[in-house]
Amino acid sequence: MPIALWALTLGAFGIGTTEFVIMGLLPEVAGDLGVSIPTAGHLISGYAAGVVVGAPLLAIAGSRLPRRTMLLALLALFTVANAVSAVAPGYEALLGARVLAGLPHGAFLGIGSVVAADMVAGHRRGQAVARVLLGLTLANVVGVPLGALMGQQIGWRWAFAAVAVIGAVSLVALRLALPEQPRPAPIPVRAELRVFRRPQVLLAFAVVVFGFGGSFAAYGYISPMLTEVTGLQGMAVTLVLALYGAGMTVGAIAGGRLADRAPMPTLWLFTAALAVLLALFTVTVASPILAPVTFFLIGATGFIAVTSLQTMILDRAKEAPGLAAAGIHSAFNIANAMGATLGGAAISAGFGLASPSMVGALLSAVGLGLALLMGMPARRAAVVPDPVTEVEPVPAAEAALEPARA
């Protein structure tokens, strides 16, 4: 794998740390700002909302810029937003900063995935994409636990300040290690958006939203679950967060290889396993031994399925790879926002701190059903015409570009 891939991994590490570190700091943030834990959970949803809005808009806005330039600009915005989070004077200001920090997330990971896939031979594309996603998983092994520990010991603001430093280091590393990228071939926005009329692409995004909304429902409230239900405190909670990240890392590495060999069966098997494990966690969360083991498996199975989906979407949307890859991160963060919101609603309704895990199991079961629908035999898919392949009038200005696209 090219060395530049590690620079992209480092950038993903910073982004993954800021996305997930709040989940280990909810009790501290809620107590310091004088809000309830479900209200503090909106800081998760706010970041996710920034990703959902920013991913497609920034991917379109940067579609005519060299990809290296766009990646550096996105990481600069991310760094500034996290510095603002560290000095936010109150809940509303922190929420706004979280939204701002989420804006570059999807576009960076989406464009980074395209750049990574273009660096390697076709049969290794899944592994290259997994290498970028490895930054997210390593964030959960190292960045999130250390950030949570820092927040618990010296204050949650220092965790966001550390993330800003990670962003600055990532920016320098990308500037030095990532070679110049050719300017993308100019494709009209209308032509890119037509990709999203494909039933298979839409189904893949729906699998992301429901299948992995389940993981986020449980993960969003893991800190209060571990402290209040499992009975763990301090360093023990930090170690469980690291164990979850280790599971994600195992899943990302294994998922890259499985996605290259059998993406659809991999998606079915591990989405089903995710639903079962989330349901099981509602029982094992009461055990200081079984809870960490189950949570490790949840992280591993979820990320194996994630890599398969990412590769399939890139294959089904080759005409607009940057927008499609950014779109999948928007879908993941719709899942994040939905999981956090529904998990918080279950707690507020009096179902207990462990209830978000059962909410997650139900969401992942819906995702499995959508994945099965997505994998229907090709003969059935042939009955439904693909809107993107239909012949449409091509304006003269666009027609002139066709040889370049070929």
Side-chain angles (χ1 to χ4, degrees), residues 42-367:
H42 294 318
L43 296 170
I44 301 172
S45 303
Y47 182 92
V51 180
V52 171
V53 173
L57 292 183
L58 291 178
I60 291 172
S63 62
R64 284 176 168 77
L65 293 175
R67 285 173 178 153
R68 179 173 179 266
T69 301
M70 190 61 185
L71 288 171
L72 293 175
L74 291 168
L75 198 50
L77 175 58
F78 163 83
T79 301
V80 170
N82 279 281
V84 173
S85 297
V87 297
Y91 173 78
E92 291 77 12
L94 180 58
L95 180 60
R98 290 286 293 169
V99 173
L100 183 65
L103 290 176
H105 174 125
F108 179 87
L109 293 176
I111 295 171
S113 295
V114 174
V115 170
D118 288 345
M119 287 182 183
V120 299
H123 69 282
R124 302 182 72 188
R125 291 173 72 246
Q127 295 177 56
V129 171
R131 179 65 58 83
V132 177
L133 294 179
L134 183 63
L136 297 179
T137 67
L138 289 176
N140 283 274
V141 176
V142 180
V144 172
L146 288 181
L149 184 62
M150 182 182 296
Q152 293 162 6
Q153 299 300 319
I154 61 176
W156 61 268
R157 294 181 186 277
W158 288 100
F160 287 109
V163 169
V165 172
I166 292 172
V169 173
S170 302
L171 181 61
V172 173
L174 275 177
R175 176 69 178 79
L176 295 175
L178 188 64
E180 292 289 346
Q181 299 291 307
R183 189 182 300 270
I187 302 174
V189 173
R190 186 180 64 182
E192 290 195 78
L193 291 176
R194 281 203 299 267
V195 168
F196 293 96
R197 294 163 56 190
R198 289 181 171 175
Q200 287 289 303
V201 172
L202 293 177
L203 270 174
F205 285 136
V207 173
V208 172
V209 171
F210 287 94
F212 304 105
S215 282
F216 289 123
Y219 190 29
Y221 298 93
I222 187 59
S223 186
M225 274 195 276
L226 291 175
T227 55
E228 301 297 329
V229 181
T230 315
L232 302 179
Q233 299 295 328
M235 182 61 73
V237 173
T238 301
L239 291 175
V240 173
L241 292 175
L243 190 61
Y244 179 79
M248 293 173 70
T249 303
V250 171
I253 294 172
R257 298 184 181 279
L258 291 171
D260 285 334
R261 296 176 182 175
M264 190 62 73
T266 298
L267 177 62
W268 291 338
L269 176 61
F270 287 96
T271 304
L274 180 61
V276 171
L277 286 166
L278 285 165
L280 183 63
F281 190 60
T282 61
V283 177
T284 61
V285 70
S287 167
I289 296 175
L290 295 179
V293 173
T294 309
F295 209 52
F296 169 85
L297 294 174
I298 289 171
T301 54
F303 249 74
I304 289 175
V306 163
T307 305
S308 293
L309 263 179
Q310 177 103 348
T311 303
M312 283 188 283
I313 288 177
L314 289 176
D315 287 341
R316 286 169 167 80
K318 293 179 180 178
E319 297 86 351
L323 184 58
I328 193 172
H329 292 287
S330 286
F332 275 120
N333 280 273
I334 292 173
N336 192 348
M338 181 177 68
T341 299
L342 293 178
I347 294 173
S348 298
F351 292 105
L353 283 173
S355 60
S357 188
M358 183 54 71
V359 170
L362 295 174
L363 290 174
S364 293
V366 173

